[in-house]
Amino acid sequence: VQTALRLQTRGLTPSRSQLFSHMPGELVKALRAVAGSPNVSTALAVREQHGRDESMHRCSPPDAVVWPQDVEQVSKLAGICYSHGVPIIPFSTGTGLEGGVTAVRGGVCFNLTRMDRITALSTEDFTVAVEPGVTRKALNSYLRDTGLWFPVDPGADASLCGMAATSASGTNAVRYGTMRHNVLNLQVVLADGRVLHTAGRGRHFRKSAAGYNLTGLFVGSEGTLGLITQATLRLHGSPEAIVAAVCAFPSVHAAVGCTVQVLQAGIPVARIEFLDDVMMAACNRFSGLSYAVSPTLFLEFHGSPGSVEEQVRQAGEIVQLNGGSDFAWAWELEARNKLWAARHNAWYAALALRPGSKVGYLTAESCSPFKQLVCVSSGLIVGHVGDGNFHCILVFDPADLDEIQRVKEFATRLARQALALDGTCTGEHGIGLGKRHLLCEEIGELGLTIMRQIKAILDPKNLMNPGKVL
Ligand SMILES: *[C@@H]1O[C@H](CO)[C@@H](O)[C@H](O)[C@H]1NC(C)=O
Ligand SMILES: *[C@@H]1O[C@H](CO)[C@@H](O)[C@H](O)[C@H]1NC(C)=O
């Protein structure tokens, strides 16, 4: 029954399903010989934990989970899967939002979190190398006394290699860039077990004109081209002073107009986040706050005390010109956190609107934030407005199929609207399972064909995280 169920959820063809039902014994033995018996599991509960992320996508468990200890093991384990023709799914914290880790064709999930070394820290070169088990918070606490930090912050305490794989970004991207700007080199195990250093072994240059950029190819590949086993990252100097500020606006127009002008004035704002009135009402209710129920900007400025003060003054003037309220602002960490509490808790505030239900979390990006924000000007909206990237949080009842259908249709409409405005269907969560139909619309037939050809060269048997992206 279990096998039948699994096959049903995977929608496999009979011949392939037969292959899978024969697979475990022999394959599991081979995996155990490399990783050690305790580091391979076929228990249903374990497999199910590894078959989903934090999104609304249904769980599809892999057939086995393996915990490699180092890159040599990853390479050997991948080689075994390759010779058996079995899918390989890289897994770290499972905090993705597009179903990127679900094992739609079964296979072996590689839980890479036990590889958690931080190496090659160079404070002069502003670089460090991390394995998949290192999360962004773990790296930043490791760096605490060095005067350096890694600013890319997608919210969740995600694995840095996973963030590279999904081209993650978040609130600091407006000043420090996304993972695309902060990954200098990757060590990747290909489907057949070969180990590639995308920029050359051990290299961590800041610029180069040497050939194609293979690092860039793997950033955002969502596990479909290889397993990232080490990422070399660009570090930044920690800001001496940080100031947080919040202000309300009479309309979405005014808030977005203000954002554009702040950026045009060249103010190096570190974060500039937008919450619409519906979201603000939810936040007030959830966190017991008394913010104005109107479109609101949350800002953060980084720099020396003098430069931060100047940034606040300049931004304050622009806010006033756009009819914004007085700046509420704060220097100390605790006061800053209090000020930003509404933004930090937005996700939970949205959830709390419908207790007991799950959340569909949708994202669309347009290169012109103003245009699209004005089109979708009401709903639970949270925007990384400085990047033109905003999220619309939809809270739905998972038991209501009709509602799920409407949520999906809305998500597609939102993405298409971004495409119509020359934007992208996903600013930061990736294509995963749910947005594959939009990728072709975004990039075009030829672009998609070339992506498929690249995938076929690196992964000729289509074993790397199959069913995602393409
Ligand atoms: C992956 O492995 C780590 C380390 O053993 C474990 O803490 C974590 O819970 C595992 N992930 C899942 C989804 O079970
Ligand atoms: C290659 O791409 C990566 C990831 O997008 C980027 O960080 C890096 O700077 C690029 N390398 C060069 C030499 O341009």
Side-chain angles (χ1 to χ4, degrees):
V1 171
Q2 226 178 60
T3 309
L5 266 177
R6 276 202 343 244
L7 299 180
Q8 199 185 354
T9 53
R10 272 193 244 130
L12 294 176
T13 58
S15 60
R16 178 168 283 139
S17 62
Q18 259 172 354
L19 183 72
F20 274 107
S21 53
H22 291 266
M23 181 194 75
E26 184 199 338
L27 178 76
V28 169
K29 215 166 122 199
L31 298 175
R32 289 209 160 114
V34 173
S37 266
N39 297 322
V40 178
S41 175
T42 54
L44 184 64
V46 173
R47 293 192 287 112
E48 276 180 350
Q49 273 175 41
H50 289 83
R52 65 168 86 90
D53 58 10
E54 292 180 3
S55 70
M56 60 192 265
H57 293 287
R58 200 174 42 182
C59 171
S60 287
D63 294 294
V65 180
V66 57
W67 283 263
Q69 316 292 310
D70 54 38
V71 62
E72 287 75 28
Q73 286 190 3
V74 176
S75 160
K76 283 185 188 147
L77 294 164
I80 292 168
C81 293
Y82 188 77
S83 59
H84 283 76
V86 164
I88 298 167
I89 300 118
F91 189 106
S92 40
T93 51
T95 45
L97 292 166
E98 286 296 342
V101 296
T102 52
V104 286
R105 270 177 44 198
V108 178
C109 174
F110 284 56
N111 180 330
L112 299 165
T113 55
R114 294 214 188 126
M115 295 171 60
D116 60 359
R117 281 177 308 169
I118 301 177
T119 54
L121 171 65
S122 167
T123 50
E124 292 86 25
D125 293 340
F126 293 80
T127 58
V128 72
V130 294
E131 290 185 340
V134 181
T135 65
R136 64 178 183 86
K137 284 186 184 165
L139 175 62
N140 279 326
S141 62
Y142 178 86
L143 293 172
R144 193 170 291 138
D145 298 324
T146 63
L148 301 176
W149 73 311
F150 187 73
V152 182
D153 171 4
D157 189 20
S159 148
L160 291 154
C161 289
M163 285 164 61
T166 55
S167 193
S169 53
T171 52
N172 283 319
V174 58
R175 164 106 179 237
Y176 300 97
T178 70
M179 287 308 277
R180 282 227 178 266
H181 309 94
N182 289 288
V183 178
L184 300 177
N185 198 353
L186 292 170
Q187 181 192 60
V188 180
V189 174
L190 301 177
D192 59 8
R194 284 178 298 168
V195 180
L196 169 72
H197 295 263
T198 55
R201 185 191 291 270
R203 300 196 189 284
H204 52 256
F205 43 72
R206 299 180 83 79
K207 59 188 261 189
S208 157
Y212 305 137
N213 189 338
L214 296 180
T215 309
L217 180 60
F218 283 87
V219 173
S221 62
E222 301 188 43
T224 63
L225 300 179
L227 298 117
I228 297 177
T229 46
Q230 188 183 62
T232 304
L233 305 173
R234 182 194 297 261
L235 299 174
H236 299 256
S238 327
E240 199 186 333
I242 300 180
V243 166
V246 175
C247 49
F249 289 85
S251 66
V252 177
H253 263 84
V256 179
C258 176
T259 304
V260 173
Q261 286 166 29
V262 165
L263 297 175
Q264 278 172 346
I267 303 172
V269 60
R271 313 188 197 207
I272 183 160
E273 296 282 303
F274 169 82
L275 265 62
D276 77 344
D277 52 345
V278 185
M279 195 70 239
M280 287 306 291
C283 288
N284 278 344
R285 218 165 85 178
F286 179 75
S287 305
L289 301 167
S290 50
Y291 281 112
V293 178
S294 50
T296 301
L297 290 181
F298 290 75
L299 300 99
E300 200 171 89
F301 306 96
H302 295 179
S304 67
S307 93
V308 161
E309 224 162 303
E310 176 59 16
Q311 291 177 48
V312 172
R313 192 192 58 73
Q314 270 185 291
E317 275 175 16
I318 297 173
V319 167
Q320 276 196 342
L321 283 175
N322 286 280
S325 68
D326 280 348
F327 253 174
W329 50 284
W331 288 80
E332 300 305 327
L333 179 65
E334 206 175 313
R336 288 200 320 261
N337 284 342
K338 220 168 130 191
L339 206 61
W340 268 64
R343 171 63 187 85
H344 288 314
N345 292 329
W347 166 265
Y348 303 100
L351 273 179
L353 287 178
R354 270 180 86 166
S357 66
K358 281 196 179 167
V359 147
Y361 189 50
L362 310 169
T363 168
E365 181 182 28
S366 134
C367 58
S368 164
F370 184 71
K371 274 191 285 184
Q372 196 174 16
L373 268 170
V374 169
C375 300
V376 197
S377 56
S378 178
L380 289 163
I381 294 174
V382 177
H384 306 316
V385 67
D387 301 321
N389 180 199
F390 72 91
H391 308 287
C392 193
I393 305 177
L394 298 173
V395 192
F396 66 91
D397 175 359
D400 185 341
L401 296 182
D402 213 51
E403 197 176 28
I404 292 180
Q405 191 53 36
R406 287 203 305 278
V407 162
K408 284 186 176 160
E409 280 165 13
F410 177 82
T412 299
R413 263 209 319 278
L414 201 65
R416 291 219 165 101
Q417 200 172 56
L419 293 179
L421 296 167
D422 300 329
T424 166
C425 67
T426 168
E428 56 184 353
H429 297 169
I431 295 291
L433 271 178
K435 287 192 164 169
R436 282 174 302 166
H437 62 300
L438 294 163
L439 182 60
C440 184
E441 291 177 33
E442 177 164 328
I443 190 157
E445 286 290 342
L446 181 57
L448 197 66
T449 302
I450 288 175
M451 283 192 188
R452 291 210 169 102
Q453 287 171 341
I454 291 173
K455 159 99 171 154
I457 287 173
L458 292 166
D459 179 20
K461 297 187 184 177
N462 189 23
L463 300 178
M464 283 309 313
N465 203 8
K468 314 297 163 52
V469 185
L470 295 177

